[in-house]
Amino acid sequence: MTERRSNIRKTFAERFGSAEGIKFSRAPGRVNLIGEHTDYNEGFVLPIAIDRDMIAGFRPNGSKMVNLYAMEMNEAASFSLSDPKTDPAHPWMSYAVGVARVLTEYGHELKGIDAVLQSTVPVGSGLSSSAAFLVSIAKAYCDAAGIDIERKALARMCQEAEIRYVGANVGIMDQYTALHGERDACIFLDCRSIEHETVPFTTDVVKVVVADTTIRHEIAAGEYNKRRATCEKGVELLKQHLPEIKSLRDVTPEDMTDLAGSLPEVVRRRVRHVVTENMRVKLAVEALRHHNFIHFGIYMEASHESLSKDYEVSCKELDVMVEIALGLKGTYGSRMTGGGFGGCTVSLVPAENADEFCKQLAAQYEERTSLKPNVYVCATAPGAEIIPDRGAAFPGC
Ligand code: ADP
Ligand code: MG
């Protein structure tokens, strides 16, 4: 057993008497390589599940109580499955409560568990620590109660939990990736059909580097809702010419050439981003299938440009981070990833340049902004799984 699971086991024994018979449920965070603000327009995204994850050590306790201990928070919290309620003193509980409520609402009878939660996904940096939490606790509930829920359905339930019980209006990408991720593959997800294809992608040759600007802008949530509304407006206006469209996913670059002039200026730019971004995801997938990282990088750069100029969801620090990355030796591509207004960039660099890239990126960013960024090299990882107490798992877990 790895040191990490030994520590969880030890903490479990301290908290709950013994660790006899515990199991572990693991769920990864993710990073989206390309396809931003396309999910709610029923378009395409291309995330990878990463080698940072939440592991929950859990065991049924024969009652209706869920007793949790979150190691990073150093906080314990409990609730009853008969009446799952959050406690404002522990906001993180709402993820576990939300999943329990949604599973119950779908007719599943859950059993009480004791669980220790431990995560290597940085909280709130855009690598989706929230989905790692939702999915690992969902897998733990299901295993403890002997329930088998198909992965796509479970992803939807976790998404529903986050929307309804955490209050975050999220798409399905994060939960879906936490469940369907694969080692050495990207998940090319169609956000309309909620079906994916895996695209081979080995992080031995090329490294994925995530750099957190450390900037968080308060306006992000409000602006996100505004962008969604503008996209709906775009659909409404374009429907006058294209009555068959249901979302911006149905608008082609050719349609834009014909109809862009009929849209008000801001709507036109927002629509243009979504239409071209969907196209870029498809082109990036083709490039990846041919191991053409140079082309892949060009689409990443164009994606950033479009997010910054047309969609206006970047910020000074994201632009600076991307600019520095693109100036470093060997960089294939770089762009903001996530909703924007702060958060992270993702860059693709040749493996042999990765160490120097990380060093230079951090140093030059600090020089220009006086902020210390967090830089993470991420590898692909498999999706959520249950690991028996002494069973083998994904390396490092
Ligand atoms: P992100 O998903 O980008 O990391 P979110 O704001 O969506 O950021 O989710 C972060 C929240 O998820 C935290 O504030 C906390 O409530 C919960 N969370 C994430 N990781 C943990 C953890 N290890 N232990 C307890 N709660 C966690
Ligand atoms: Mg999140």
Side-chain angles (χ1 to χ4, degrees), residues 195-237:
E195 300 280 343
H196 78 279
E197 284 172 43
T198 52
V199 186
F201 176 59
T202 318
T203 43
D204 299 352
V205 197
V206 171
K207 295 287 176 202
V208 176
V209 181
V210 173
D212 187 349
T213 59
T214 71
I215 293 289
R216 310 283 182 264
H217 283 301
E218 289 288 310
I219 53 163
E223 290 295 321
Y224 176 84
N225 290 333
K226 268 200 227 164
R227 295 299 177 281
R228 286 187 78 138
T230 308
C231 288
E232 279 166 29
K233 181 83 193 158
V235 174
E236 191 189 307
L237 293 172

Side-chain angles (χ1 to χ4, degrees), residues 14-48:
E14 282 162 14
R15 291 267 146 194
F16 303 112
S18 90
E20 225 18 70
I22 76 167
K23 286 184 178 175
F24 301 91
S25 79
R26 183 191 67 83
R30 63 92 191 94
V31 58
N32 189 23
L33 298 185
I34 193 162
E36 221 63 72
H37 289 277
T38 46
D39 57 349
Y40 52 84
N41 291 298
E42 300 190 311
F44 303 98
V45 292
L46 191 69
I48 55 170

Side-chain angles (χ1 to χ4, degrees), residues 132-154:
F133 187 177
L134 290 161
V135 171
S136 64
I137 198 77
K139 293 286 283 183
Y141 289 146
C142 290
D143 189 83
I147 302 165
D148 192 15
I149 302 175
E150 188 269 318
R151 283 184 297 174
K152 196 202 292 192
L154 194 58

Side-chain angles (χ1 to χ4, degrees), residues 332-343:
Y332 289 121
S334 186
R335 56 181 284 274
M336 55 160 276
T337 182
F341 302 104

Side-chain angles (χ1 to χ4, degrees), residues 30 53-55 69-75 90-95 117-134 162 166 168 170 174 216:
R30 63 92 191 94
D53 41 36
M54 177 174 273
I55 295 186
Y69 176 66
M71 287 178 75
E72 279 69 42
M73 309 282 167
N74 190 19
E75 285 182 20
H90 308 293
W92 55 271
M93 256 179 93
S94 55
Y95 294 87
L117 315 171
Q118 198 273 326
S119 180
T120 52
V121 190
V123 171
S125 341
L127 295 178
S128 207
S129 66
S130 56
F133 187 177
L134 290 161
E162 191 160 356
V166 180
V170 293
D174 300 358
R216 310 283 182 264

Side-chain angles (χ1 to χ4, degrees), residues 261-327:
S262 70
L263 296 171
E265 204 258 337
V266 172
V267 181
R268 182 194 317 155
R269 285 191 288 118
R270 306 295 189 246
V271 170
R272 185 166 58 197
H273 165 71
V274 176
V275 172
T276 57
E277 185 76 351
N278 278 329
M279 186 182 73
R280 281 186 290 271
V281 178
K282 289 189 251 177
L283 290 168
V285 165
E286 275 319 296
L288 209 52
R289 290 207 163 109
H290 293 93
H291 306 285
N292 192 335
F293 299 115
I294 293 185
H295 283 186
F296 193 96
I298 289 169
Y299 304 131
M300 288 176 86
E301 198 178 329
S303 166
H304 185 79
E305 188 71 10
S306 176
L307 286 158
S308 182
K309 303 271 165 53
D310 271 353
Y311 219 61
E312 294 182 284
V313 290
S314 186
C315 63
K316 192 178 84 226
E317 292 80 3
L318 282 167
D319 290 345
V320 166
M321 192 76 91
V322 167
E323 191 188 314
I324 297 168
L326 292 174

